[in-house]
């Protein structure tokens, strides 16, 4: 673990186990970025920056006749808008006199033990044996505005984290229009970028393209990280593959609107900035106030995408997930949503619970429809009062009955929403985010509550906690089923309306923190119409997130493939549902639905009470198998073995235990052929000289990795297999 500062060269070198990051205090305190990549020791890489007079690249005034130093060409650590760097920037401030410029120069630094945390915001954590912090203090001499650049080192995880704090030490009120969490300049080079786009019921699709001249971005302006783009991107050498080549992974620890923007400048130099979306953002900062950005995290790998994924998985598991359920075995659940939708009563729920118990499932989750007037999605949100008529008694009694069967009980909430047809709306219409005089924009017939107002958060929290206090609820599914629009808060003055989006997130995070602190035993599962808020911010509170409302096993191959680039299997909520599937109408074998759902935090979401004896027997076996392989699946290394995007006949992945003694290979046939070609899957991560047994056959690790494993000829469409290999002693 090391943060080095060389007094003579004025170079900072940040080292993790395998990577290094370098910056330099250059002439007149301009902070230049020098390097990010494979680990190096203290040296001064500024010789790589070519000093020459370049046309239309201005120079800071202090340089006088020296035209070789330009902010528009030199790599910047945190580029400022308005002072001559025309590339995409990090910080844009409107000063009291109306000018729009800030010129942050280096002032001082301090090093702290342990990795910093961020008040009120999710962030990776690390104590002094795991992490270290560098704070660089910057200053704008003209206005007195200060800036702290925070760098966290998580050495073993090979992760560097970043955040920025803008401090108004001046005597006047200013407005922050843009405050990115990070900036990273690369020397002139070609880079590809990989990002994960999607829609409701098809999240995190893999896309790779060359960075081109100009700006290209992915973003969300929906108030959530969104189904449409995930706040995680990879930049890589165009030659980089799954296992080989240099690449960088970047994630934002934030669940609201965001921007990840890349620009290739006129000298072929790529820059990446990442942070909260500057759209809708305008933060008033009075003298003495400060503004803290969310955290961005970075890892470097020279082992291709697998290296990036393993580092992210390790860091998330060890430095982001918290609470009892981080390490405790998560229960296998049955959720009634796709079994009943809104149409259930007590008897139906008990029938499903009994059938679940019969196949050794461990928890029943009661989804939407148990409260207020909520027999459809047109009404009731906000009225968190149990509908005892529908449940044939109290929720407490229902939970007790389910507990008496030997099952845990879990419950769905959508705390951030309000239906127009609800008592809450009739009482507090101003609690909804709506612009006065405009009819607004409804989605799923609901409005979003104004969580930028503390009293709104407190009001919902009170209703929710009352239920959690009274009933033995051991799991909560926290849903969010629309995008935010029509920002207006009656709790904020005119000049602070641009703060709603960010204040909303602070309100949400406060609520979530209160929830997990008060009920540490509750397993919290995040959700937003499936995976519309699947991000590092939410994972700080909920160790698993419902991955997608698309439960079709074949579409899930792509969704879970894309998700796996950043997020570990343990975080992926994944259920076996009915066939034909409710979203696609596709028929798939029950075993295949099991194979796919087992690559996640496992459960079922179908009417078990209607299944045949034979199907129940298959499920009983799946449940047993998942329990047996839980450690391997949740804590083993995850390898993508073939891509569902390529025209190959099977999508395959594997889990390999840390000690490399166990391996579970999973493969799903996605295309049938007459007179079929052989499908050979090459395994990864095994010990080459070890011998691995599967039933009565034994293979060496090298045979399985370099030769591969031959899949049987499928008997039916979408057939799948789970091959379990164990090393011989
Ligand atoms: C969202 C969730 C589903 C279900 C419904 C209930 O769409 O993703 O799993 O909970 O809401 O309304």
């Amino acid at each position: 673990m090391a943060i080095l500062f060389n007094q003579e060269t004025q170079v900072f070198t940040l080292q993790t186990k395998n990577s290094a990051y370098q910056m330099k205090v250059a002439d007149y305190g301009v902070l230049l970025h020098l390097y990010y990549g494979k680990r190096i020791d203290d040296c001064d890489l500024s010789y790589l920056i070519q000093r020459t007079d370049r046309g239309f690249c201005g120079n800071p005034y202090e340089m006088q006749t020296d035209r070789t130093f330009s902010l528009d060409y030199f790599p910047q650590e945190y580029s400022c808008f308005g002072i001559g760097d025309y590339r995409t920037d990090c910080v844009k401030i409107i000063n009291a006199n109306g000018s729009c410029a800030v010129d942050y120069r280096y002032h001082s630094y301090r090093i702290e033990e342990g990795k910093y945390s961020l008040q009120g915001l999710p962030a990776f954590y690390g104590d002094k044996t795991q992490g270290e912090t560098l704070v660089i203090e910057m200053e704008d001499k003209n206005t007195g505005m200060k800036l702290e650049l925070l760098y966290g080192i998580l050495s073993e995880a090979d992760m560097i984290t970043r955040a920025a704090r803008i401090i108004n030490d001046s005597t006047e009120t200013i407005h922050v229009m843009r405050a990115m969490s990070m900036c990273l300049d690369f020397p002139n080079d070609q880079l590809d970028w990989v990002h994960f786009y999607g829609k409701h019921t098809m999240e995190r699709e893999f896309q790779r393209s060359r960075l081109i001249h100009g700006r290209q971005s992915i973003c969300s302006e929906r108030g959530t990280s969104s189904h449409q783009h995930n706040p995680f991107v990879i930049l890589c050498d165009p030659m980089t593959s799954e296992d080989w080549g240099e690449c960088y992974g970047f994630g934002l620890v934030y669940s609201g609107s965001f921007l990840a923007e890349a620009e290739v400048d006129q000298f072929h130099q790529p820059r990446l900035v990442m942070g909260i979306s500057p759209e809708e953002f305008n933060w008033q900062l009075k003298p003495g106030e400060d503004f803290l950005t969310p955290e961005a995290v970075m890892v470097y790998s020279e082992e291709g995408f697998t290296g990036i994924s393993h580092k992210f998985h390790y860091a998330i598991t060890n430095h982001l997930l918290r609470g009892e359920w981080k390490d405790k075995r998560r229960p296998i659940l049955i959720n009634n949503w796709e079994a009943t939708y809104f149409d259930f009563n007590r008897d139906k729920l008990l029938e499903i619970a009994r059938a679940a118990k019969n196949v050794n499932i461990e928890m029943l989750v009661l989804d939407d429809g148990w409260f207020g007037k909520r027999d459809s999605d047109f009404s009731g949100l906000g009225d968190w009062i149990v509908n005892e008529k529908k449940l044939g008694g109290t929720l407490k009694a229902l939970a007790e009955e389910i507990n008496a069967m030997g099952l845990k009980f879990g419950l769905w909430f959508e705390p951030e929403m309000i239906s127009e047809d609800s008592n809450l709306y009739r009482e507090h219409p101003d609690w909804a985010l709506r612009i006065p005089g405009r009819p607004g924009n409804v989605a799923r017939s609901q409005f979003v509550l104004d969580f930028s107002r503390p009293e709104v958060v407190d009001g919902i929290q009170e209703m929710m906690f009352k239920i959690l206090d009274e009933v033995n609820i051991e799991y909560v599914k926290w849903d969010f089923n629309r995008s935010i629009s029509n920002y207006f808060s009656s709790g904020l003055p005119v000049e602070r309306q641009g703060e709603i989006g960010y204040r909303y997130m602070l309100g949400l995070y406060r609520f979530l923190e209160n929830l997990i602190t008060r009920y540490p035993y509750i397993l919290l599962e995040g959700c937003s119409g499936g995976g519309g808020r699947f991000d590092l911010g939410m994972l700080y509170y909920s160790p698993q997130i419902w991955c997608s409302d698309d439960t079709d096993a074949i579409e899930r191959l792509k969704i879970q493939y894309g998700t796996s680039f950043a997020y570990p299997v343990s975080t992926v909520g994944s259920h076996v549902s009915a066939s034909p599937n409710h979203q696609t109408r596709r028929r798939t074998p029950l075993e295949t639905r099991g194979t796919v759902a087992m690559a996640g935090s496992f459960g079922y979401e179908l009417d078990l009470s209607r299944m045949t004896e034979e199907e129940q027997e298959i499920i009983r076996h799946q449940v047993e198998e998942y329990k047996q392989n839980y450690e391997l699946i949740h804590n083993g290394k995850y390898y993508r073995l073939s891509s569902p995007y390529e025209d190959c006949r099977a999508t395959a992945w594997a889990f390999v235990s840390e000690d490399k003694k166990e391996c579970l290979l999973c493969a799903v046939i996605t295309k049938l052929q007459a007179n079929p070609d052989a499908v050979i899957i090459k395994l990864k991560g095994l010990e080459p000289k070890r011998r691995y047994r599967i039933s009565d056959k034994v293979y060496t690790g090298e045979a399985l990795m370099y030769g591969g494993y031959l899949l049987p000829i499928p008997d039916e469409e979408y057939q799948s297999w789970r091959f379990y290999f164990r090393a011989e002693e």
Side-chain angles (χ1 to χ4, degrees):
M1 201 151 47
I3 294 173
L4 316 169
F5 180 60
N6 186 321
Q7 198 66 45
E8 198 184 317
T9 58
Q10 297 280 294
V11 167
F12 290 95
T13 305
L14 279 46
Q15 293 172 328
T16 69
K17 198 171 163 196
N18 300 295
S19 72
Y21 185 95
Q22 207 176 70
M23 53 202 149
K24 179 183 175 91
V25 183
D27 314 33
Y28 301 99
V30 174
L31 190 62
L32 297 182
H33 174 73
L34 296 186
Y35 174 76
Y36 184 33
K38 196 174 164 72
R39 186 176 163 134
I40 52 169
D41 285 322
D42 174 31
C43 59
D44 180 358
L45 284 178
S46 60
Y47 65 84
L48 292 171
I49 301 173
Q50 198 149 45
R51 289 185 80 138
T52 180
D53 179 3
R54 294 173 192 275
F56 284 80
C57 290
N59 320 105
Y61 190 79
E62 303 93 313
M63 303 300 163
Q64 300 288 323
T65 54
D66 178 359
R67 297 183 182 173
T68 67
F69 189 106
S70 173
L71 299 178
D72 196 27
Y73 166 71
F74 283 10
Q76 304 292 313
E77 194 51 35
Y78 196 75
S79 87
C80 305
F81 179 89
I83 53 162
D85 179 357
Y86 299 95
R87 298 167 288 182
T88 181
D89 51 86
C90 288
V91 55
K92 186 171 179 181
I93 284 175
I94 300 188
N95 299 297
N97 65 6
S99 65
C100 185
V102 65
D103 190 355
Y104 281 122
R105 304 286 177 93
Y106 176 81
H107 179 268
S108 54
Y109 78 95
R110 56 178 200 271
I111 292 173
E112 292 166 3
E113 281 186 336
K115 192 217 155 245
Y116 65 82
S117 55
L118 300 176
Q119 180 69 29
L121 284 166
F124 281 72
Y125 56 84
D127 63 21
K128 61 181 180 194
T129 65
Q130 304 164 318
E132 217 176 343
T133 297
L134 168 68
V135 182
I136 296 190
E137 289 147 341
M138 313 276 289
E139 189 182 14
D140 178 297
K141 291 226 164 59
N142 181 255
T143 59
M145 290 289 298
K146 300 256 167 59
L147 169 74
E148 283 182 356
L149 298 177
L150 278 63
Y151 296 84
I153 315 291
L154 292 169
S155 185
E156 196 59 31
D158 262 332
M159 180 173 266
I160 295 176
T161 72
R162 306 183 48 181
R165 187 193 305 276
I166 296 168
I167 305 161
N168 188 352
D169 254 1
S170 77
T171 50
E172 315 215 62
T173 297
I174 60 103
H175 284 259
V176 183
M177 309 302 289
R178 182 173 167 113
M180 291 290 124
S181 300
M182 62 158 285
C183 172
L184 188 61
D185 278 352
F186 291 84
N188 97 356
D189 212 349
Q190 289 216 329
L191 288 175
D192 281 0
W193 81 325
V194 176
H195 59 89
F196 301 87
Y197 72 97
K199 61 183 175 189
H200 178 229
T201 66
M202 198 65 206
E203 299 87 341
R204 290 171 294 287
E205 290 221 55
F206 176 94
Q207 185 156 54
R208 176 177 185 163
S209 55
R210 184 65 44 88
L211 285 186
I212 53 170
H213 279 271
R215 294 181 189 181
Q216 46 243 273
S217 64
I218 56 149
C219 65
S220 162
E221 282 150 25
R222 294 167 175 272
T224 59
S225 48
S226 87
H227 301 86
Q228 287 69 18
H229 292 287
N230 196 261
F232 171 76
V233 296
I234 296 173
L235 292 183
C236 63
D237 184 289
M239 303 288 282
T240 293
S241 67
E242 183 63 46
D243 310 290
W244 181 89
E246 286 201 297
C247 47
Y248 303 82
F250 305 93
L252 194 65
V253 193
Y254 188 60
S255 317
S257 300
F258 75 94
L259 172 71
E261 186 164 63
E263 177 171 2
V264 179
D265 76 5
Q266 54 187 329
F267 303 106
H268 301 91
Q269 304 178 116
R271 164 177 291 174
L272 178 78
V273 298
M274 212 168 175
I276 47 181
S277 167
E279 304 289 333
E280 307 265 5
F281 180 79
N282 175 353
W283 193 278
Q284 189 190 56
L285 212 54
K286 292 196 168 145
E289 290 181 346
D290 64 36
F291 178 81
L292 181 59
T293 72
E295 176 168 275
V297 297
M298 330 186 286
V299 304
Y300 162 80
S301 152
E302 52 178 344
E303 288 155 354
F305 300 142
T306 304
I308 292 288
S309 298
H310 286 176
K311 288 175 200 288
F312 260 85
H313 295 181
Y314 177 88
I316 291 171
T317 307
N318 294 289
H319 298 284
L320 186 67
L321 303 186
R322 300 179 296 165
E324 288 181 14
W325 292 102
K326 166 172 144 36
D327 300 315
K328 209 156 95 183
R329 188 171 76 71
R330 319 248 179 94
I332 297 176
L333 62 87
I334 173 91
N335 179 305
N336 75 308
W337 181 243
E338 287 199 20
T340 65
Y341 297 100
F342 290 105
D343 186 16
F344 59 83
N345 56 26
R346 181 173 170 276
D347 290 347
K348 183 72 219 171
L349 295 173
L350 292 177
E351 192 181 41
I352 294 175
R354 264 189 297 274
K357 181 63 194 169
N358 191 34
V359 293
N360 300 324
I361 285 174
E362 299 159 308
M363 178 162 72
L364 176 97
V365 174
L366 173 54
D367 211 279
D368 196 355
W370 55 267
F371 54 92
K373 180 182 144 202
R374 186 72 176 166
D375 286 324
S376 75
D377 57 16
F378 285 94
S379 60
L381 290 171
D383 294 342
W384 300 106
I385 314 280
V386 178
N387 183 345
E388 295 187 358
K389 197 161 161 242
K390 187 168 181 178
L391 295 186
T394 61
L395 187 66
K396 190 170 178 347
L398 178 70
E400 278 169 3
E401 202 150 344
I402 291 187
N403 289 162
M405 286 181 201
L407 290 173
K408 293 177 190 294
F409 180 65
L411 196 62
W412 179 97
F413 285 90
E414 196 178 354
E416 297 155 79
M417 295 293 162
I418 183 165
S419 305
E420 199 168 16
D421 184 1
S422 66
N423 291 334
L424 188 71
Y425 189 82
R426 284 181 280 273
E427 264 170 52
H428 298 287
D430 61 305
W431 280 22
L433 283 171
R434 288 187 85 171
I435 302 174
R438 291 185 192 274
N441 176 31
V442 275
R444 214 188 187 208
S445 304
Q446 62 201 53
F447 292 111
V448 185
L449 282 166
D450 181 0
F451 267 29
S452 73
R453 287 171 63 185
E455 66 273 30
V456 177
V457 172
D458 293 346
I460 302 296
Q461 185 177 287
E462 195 184 317
M463 280 190 264
M464 185 177 183
F465 286 6
K466 187 162 182 288
I467 293 170
L468 298 179
D469 283 345
E470 279 170 7
V471 185
N472 185 25
I473 292 166
E474 296 179 76
Y475 161 110
V476 163
K477 179 172 170 187
W478 182 299
D479 212 338
F480 183 97
N481 280 318
R482 61 159 292 177
S483 304
I484 306 182
S485 65
N486 298 67
Y487 284 95
F488 179 85
S489 173
S490 48
L492 289 170
V494 175
E495 63 282 8
R496 287 202 181 269
Q497 291 296 320
E499 301 177 13
I500 300 169
Y502 195 61
R503 287 187 185 275
Y504 180 100
M505 294 313 302
L506 296 177
L508 169 65
Y509 290 144
R510 178 170 69 84
F511 193 165
L512 289 166
E513 189 68 37
N514 292 346
L515 176 73
I516 62 169
T517 310
R518 185 172 168 129
Y519 309 99
Y521 57 87
I522 287 183
L523 169 59
L524 187 61
E525 176 152 350
C527 179
S528 171
R533 202 158 60 180
F534 204 121
D535 57 64
L536 298 170
M538 287 309 286
L539 288 176
Y540 188 62
Y541 306 94
S542 60
Q544 62 190 57
I545 298 176
W546 179 227
C547 185
S548 178
D549 272 350
D550 185 349
T551 57
D552 174 284
I554 304 308
E555 297 230 297
R556 273 281 182 131
L557 292 175
K558 283 189 178 164
I559 299 169
Q560 292 178 192
Y561 173 85
T563 305
S564 77
F565 277 78
Y567 307 103
V569 160
S570 72
T571 64
V572 174
S574 190
H575 300 168
V576 172
S577 63
S579 176
N581 175 269
H582 291 191
Q583 294 81 44
T584 61
R585 312 309 302 166
R586 192 198 318 259
R587 287 174 195 277
T588 49
L590 181 52
E591 274 298 18
T592 296
R593 284 173 272 147
T595 303
V596 176
M598 279 191 209
S601 277
F602 188 54
Y604 290 82
E605 189 155 336
L606 73 185
D607 191 348
L608 277 174
S609 64
R610 299 246 172 98
M611 302 196 81
T612 63
E613 266 306 313
E614 194 192 337
E615 287 173 322
Q616 295 201 18
E617 193 49 32
I618 293 177
I619 293 180
R620 199 172 287 119
H621 274 113
Q622 289 177 350
V623 167
E624 198 43 47
E625 191 182 327
Y626 187 76
K627 285 183 192 166
Q628 260 170 28
N629 289 326
Y630 185 89
E631 265 305 303
L632 179 56
I633 291 172
H634 272 239
N635 298 323
K637 281 198 165 141
Y638 179 82
Y639 289 93
R640 294 175 291 269
L641 301 180
S642 70
S643 159
Y645 288 89
E646 279 158 25
D647 190 25
C648 54
R649 291 180 45 230
T651 299
W653 61 94
F655 307 93
V656 179
S657 61
E658 208 52 57
D659 63 8
K660 302 186 177 190
K661 287 187 177 161
E662 288 179 275
C663 168
L664 179 65
L665 163 64
C666 303
V668 180
I669 292 291
T670 48
K671 202 162 104 190
L672 288 182
Q673 265 183 337
N675 197 10
D677 308 340
V679 184
I680 294 171
I681 304 292
K682 292 186 177 175
L683 277 91
K684 292 178 184 171
L686 302 177
E687 200 62 67
K689 299 295 175 200
R690 269 213 183 118
R691 293 164 62 77
Y692 291 88
R693 172 174 290 280
I694 174 165
S695 340
D696 57 346
K697 296 222 168 53
V698 175
Y699 304 85
T700 58
E702 57 195 13
L704 291 169
M705 290 195 292
Y706 315 142
Y709 190 71
L710 179 63
L711 295 187
I713 294 175
D715 301 319
E716 59 175 335
E717 195 174 24
Y718 304 127
Q719 187 166 355
S720 75
W721 299 273
R722 302 184 291 276
F723 300 110
Y724 176 76
F725 299 86
R726 175 178 273 285
E728 292 199 312
E729 291 307 324

